[in-house]
Amino acid sequence: MPKLNENYLNLKESYLFAEIAHRVNDYAKANPDKKIIRLGIGDVTRPIGSEMISALHEGVDAMASSETFKGYGPEQGYDFLRDAVVSYYKENGVSINADEVFVSDGAKSDTGNITDLFDKDNVILIPDPVYPVYVDTNIMNGRNITYIDANAENNFLPMPDKNVHADIIYICSPNNPTGAAYNHEQLKEWVDYALANDAIILYDSAYECFITDETLPRSIFAIEGAKKCAIEFCSLSKTAGFTGTRCGYTIVPKDLKFTVSTGEEMSLNAMWNRRQTTKFNGVSYIVQKGAAAVFSKEGMAQCKENIAYYQENAKIIADCLGKKGIRYFGGVNSPYIWFECPNGMESWDFFDYLLKNAQVVGTPGAGFGNNGKNFFRLTAFGNRENTMEAMERINKLF
Ligand SMILES: *Cc1c(COP(=O)(O)O)cnc(C)c1O
């Protein structure tokens, strides 16, 4: 009999979205005449821009003739895409090298797979509430997690505690689910803390494209010293509507080196390269063609149009809550609006209340961690009409 990875027994059942679907279905069945508006989804809805679509078609056509056919590509991604990512960073004032860019099928896989590089024995800091992938992938590997509280008192932006040592720190900014985004000084504190502790920051910047405040950093590498202590995960899922097309990229700086128990120095860049070339055969050429178009002038302009559409939705939601005097976070620099449930309600009770009285579906904060217990997430990824109607209903409700 195989000995199974019993760490899986320690995973909490991921019932959040299943439970939401279940409650919504029950309500819909009992109230077939009611129009339900879903503002709970964390998935984009706008179609991909024509520049990217043309490039995807070109990629398909290349497969049809022997002159242009592509078989296995480089595991790390084609140079044309790695170079495009380097240029994109440069436009944002950050200098990285192409051999520090690893193209992948998305940030979820990379944030999960990165755990391959670390021993079981580490002090791991993860904020609560959080994107569940960081927690579950560490539990699968049998690691203990130290949670750091993100709450209204710290504006959902927890800061390092200099009296507590950590080895690995997860940061997602702008944050899912809270919408909160760190500024330069705050991130600098984290970088300084990581350097002082010889720790590494695993930085998820999947929502950097939603940053409108130009003073906010869009990459951890905008912070001095970060190349010695951080890996950055990014994705075209939210930037370009690639949630179904699948493409992301991870930056592993060559400066990221640690002396290990043998006295040797190990490079995280070399390790990740070894890991990827061993376990991953690259993203399809077709998708990489589409991805490269995101970084063209026209392509980026089209992506920004979609992002602006979602940002306007976010503003509509935030304005409505603001007028009602409801305390919210996010809504700017983020497609997420995270607010305190009115009258001290708990998030699942508020979910039911909102469904029954306004037929609006959101996501209970409890699903992202203990500190989300009295909070609720709405997303800007719906269409304009529905977003406006949902806010009119909420406006009448309180
Ligand atoms: C959506 C999202 C991602 C993107 O994941 P992909 O696998 O690239 O689609 C990464 N991190 C967070 C926090 C997200 O919400």
Side-chain angles (χ1 to χ4, degrees):
M1 192 176 84
K3 291 198 179 68
L4 302 188
N5 182 349
E6 294 180 8
N7 294 316
Y8 278 63
L9 293 172
N10 299 327
L11 293 166
K12 274 204 209 107
E13 207 52 56
S14 163
Y15 69 100
L16 177 64
F17 290 99
E19 179 64 22
I20 291 173
H22 174 75
R23 291 191 192 202
V24 173
N25 286 342
D26 280 358
Y27 180 82
K29 231 180 261 163
N31 302 277
D33 54 318
K34 295 273 191 352
K35 183 192 165 196
I36 296 170
I37 299 178
R38 290 176 170 79
L39 295 183
I41 45 162
D43 194 355
V44 297
T45 54
R46 312 270 305 155
I48 295 171
S50 62
E51 283 295 307
M52 280 62 74
I53 296 298
S54 303
L56 287 165
H57 280 296
E58 279 171 32
V60 171
D61 288 340
M63 294 301 181
S65 89
S66 53
E67 285 77 44
T68 49
F69 171 79
K70 297 281 187 294
Y72 288 126
E75 292 93 339
Q76 305 86 346
Y78 281 99
D79 284 342
F80 67 78
L81 181 52
R82 298 175 97 189
D83 290 340
V85 171
V86 169
S87 309
Y88 179 63
Y89 272 78
K90 197 166 180 193
E91 281 162 33
N92 288 322
V94 173
S95 150
I96 52 167
N97 291 319
D99 57 3
E100 297 174 313
V101 178
F102 294 84
V103 175
S104 74
D105 65 340
K108 189 190 208 177
S109 341
D110 281 5
T111 51
N113 292 332
I114 202 75
T115 55
D116 273 13
L117 306 191
F118 304 106
D119 187 82
K120 190 167 163 276
D121 190 18
N122 274 298
V123 178
I124 300 170
L125 288 192
I126 302 185
D128 167 2
V130 79
Y131 182 55
V133 176
Y134 318 147
V135 172
D136 287 352
T137 54
N138 278 293
I139 290 177
M140 286 172 177
N141 287 318
R143 296 193 180 96
N144 292 319
I145 295 163
T146 306
Y147 291 96
I148 37 174
D149 287 327
N151 49 37
E153 287 67 53
N154 58 28
N155 290 315
F156 289 94
L157 295 169
M159 297 307 297
D161 178 348
K162 292 185 183 72
N163 301 312
V164 177
H165 168 80
D167 301 302
I168 299 173
I169 303 147
Y170 284 83
I171 296 179
C172 176
S173 179
N175 191 271
N176 177 13
T178 70
Y182 283 107
N183 68 27
H184 228 273
E185 295 69 40
Q186 291 165 326
L187 269 192
K188 176 88 169 67
E189 246 186 79
W190 275 113
V191 167
D192 289 345
Y193 169 82
L195 291 170
N197 279 274
D198 240 343
I200 186 165
I201 295 173
L202 302 176
Y203 191 79
D204 187 339
S205 69
Y207 295 95
E208 59 83 16
C209 61
F210 278 88
I211 293 178
T212 44
D213 178 346
E214 285 179 5
T215 68
L216 296 183
R218 295 178 59 161
S219 161
I220 184 106
F221 301 122
I223 313 300
E224 202 193 326
K227 281 188 185 164
K228 288 192 179 340
C229 66
I231 291 176
E232 178 158 290
F233 305 90
C234 201
S235 168
L236 298 183
S237 283
K238 316 297 165 16
T239 306
F242 270 39
T243 50
T245 307
R246 308 303 308 141
C247 195
Y249 47 92
T250 290
I251 315 299
V252 190
K254 292 202 135 175
D255 284 349
L256 206 48
K257 293 175 181 160
F258 295 92
T259 305
V260 299
S261 63
T262 60
E264 286 162 282
E265 196 168 63
M266 289 181 85
S267 149
L268 273 289
N269 178 286
M271 286 172 77
W272 185 244
N273 190 53
R274 189 73 166 88
R275 193 257 170 225
Q276 290 299 80
T277 52
T278 303
K279 293 197 186 181
F280 183 61
N281 248 338
V283 175
S284 98
Y285 172 75
I286 299 164
V287 167
Q288 291 192 62
K289 283 287 286 180
V294 170
F295 301 106
S296 69
K297 197 159 171 259
E298 260 311 296
M300 188 50 75
Q302 292 176 349
C303 291
K304 284 189 172 154
E305 243 172 74
N306 279 345
I307 292 164
Y309 179 94
Y310 298 133
Q311 283 167 329
E312 180 63 24
N313 285 350
K315 190 172 177 326
I316 289 165
I317 298 170
D319 284 352
C320 169
L321 297 176
K323 276 196 202 115
K324 294 269 136 191
I326 294 171
R327 182 151 69 148
Y328 69 91
F329 301 83
V332 279
N333 307 307
S334 168
Y336 297 118
I337 296 89
W338 176 256
F339 62 96
E340 202 161 17
C341 303
N343 308 321
M345 252 190 256
E346 294 219 347
S347 63
W348 278 109
D349 295 336
F350 183 68
F351 175 91
D352 291 333
Y353 176 81
L354 204 57
L355 179 60
K356 288 196 181 102
N357 296 291
Q359 293 78 48
V360 172
V361 178
T363 313
F368 301 100
N370 286 335
N371 287 326
K373 198 165 56 109
N374 294 98
F375 285 82
F376 205 75
R377 190 189 77 173
L378 292 178
T379 85
F381 289 129
N383 77 33
R384 178 68 40 79
E385 218 180 3
N386 284 346
T387 304
M388 288 171 67
E389 190 177 336
M391 289 309 114
E392 272 160 34
R393 293 183 192 174
I394 287 178
N395 193 34
K396 284 194 200 121
L397 198 56
F398 302 109

